[in-house]
Amino acid sequence: MPRKHMGLGTPGDWLNRARSNLIRARQPKMEGVFWEDLCFDAQQATEKALKAVLIDRGIQFRLVHDIAELLTYLEKNGLSLPEEICAAAALTNFAVEARYPGTAEPVTSEEFKEVLQTAEAVVTWAEALVKNKKV
C-alpha cells in the first residue's frame, strides 16, 4: 500500500535537519571514516538549507540532490544569490559520486575544509533569510 504524502514539513524542520547534518560534518574525523562521508553530510546540510528557503517562499521544486537546480529555482523566483552561495553548486558531487568507491578522486582534508565552509555559509544564509524574509 502506498504511503500517504505527508507534505514537506516547515522551513524550520528543514533547517533543523540541515543543522543536524552540519553537526555531523563538523565532528572530528575518526579512524576509518572517509572525508567523502563528511562531505556528504555537508552537502546534505546545504541541500536541506536551500529547500528550507524554497519552502519558506512557497517555491515548488523537485526532490533532487542537485544543488545547482535548487539554486536555479531560487534565482528564477527573484532571489539574488551571493557568490559564495552559488559556489555551493559544486557540492552536488558529494551527494552520490563521491560516496562510491572508484567513482571520484579521494577527498583531502583541505578539500573537506572548503566544503564545510561552503555548507556553513549556506546554512547561515538560509537561517537569516527564513527568519528575516530577505530578498
Side-chain angles (χ1 to χ4, degrees):
M1 191 166 171
R3 294 183 350 184
K4 285 186 177 180
H5 179 60
M6 300 301 289
L8 290 176
T10 68
D13 294 335
W14 284 85
L15 284 173
N16 286 337
R17 293 295 182 117
R19 289 183 200 106
S20 174
N21 282 114
L22 204 50
I23 289 167
R24 287 182 5 172
R26 288 177 178 148
Q27 295 298 311
K29 183 183 171 295
M30 295 172 28
E31 187 175 332
V33 173
F34 293 95
W35 289 116
E36 292 82 357
D37 295 335
L38 298 177
C39 287
F40 173 69
D41 273 316
Q43 182 280 336
Q44 285 290 287
T46 300
E47 178 183 325
K48 291 169 186 174
L50 293 174
K51 288 176 179 176
V53 175
L54 288 161
I55 291 167
D56 186 63
R57 297 187 172 251
I59 301 169
Q60 291 188 337
F61 59 94
R62 292 184 328 124
L63 292 175
V64 297
H65 299 297
D66 187 338
I67 302 296
E69 183 173 329
L70 299 174
L71 292 168
T72 299
Y73 287 125
L74 291 169
E75 286 182 312
K76 284 185 176 180
N77 282 276
L79 193 62
S80 177
L81 303 177
E83 201 171 304
E84 66 180 345
I85 303 307
C86 290
L91 273 59
T92 296
N93 291 336
F94 299 107
V96 180
E97 290 87 2
R99 294 188 308 148
Y100 301 111
T103 58
E105 291 293 318
V107 173
T108 66
S109 62
E110 288 303 313
E111 289 171 315
F112 167 70
K113 288 177 188 174
E114 291 175 23
V115 168
L116 183 60
Q117 286 177 340
T118 300
E120 289 172 333
V122 172
V123 171
T124 299
W125 175 81
E127 288 171 331
L129 224 55
V130 169
K131 180 179 179 185
N132 298 323
K133 306 272 191 209
K134 292 181 185 174
V135 177

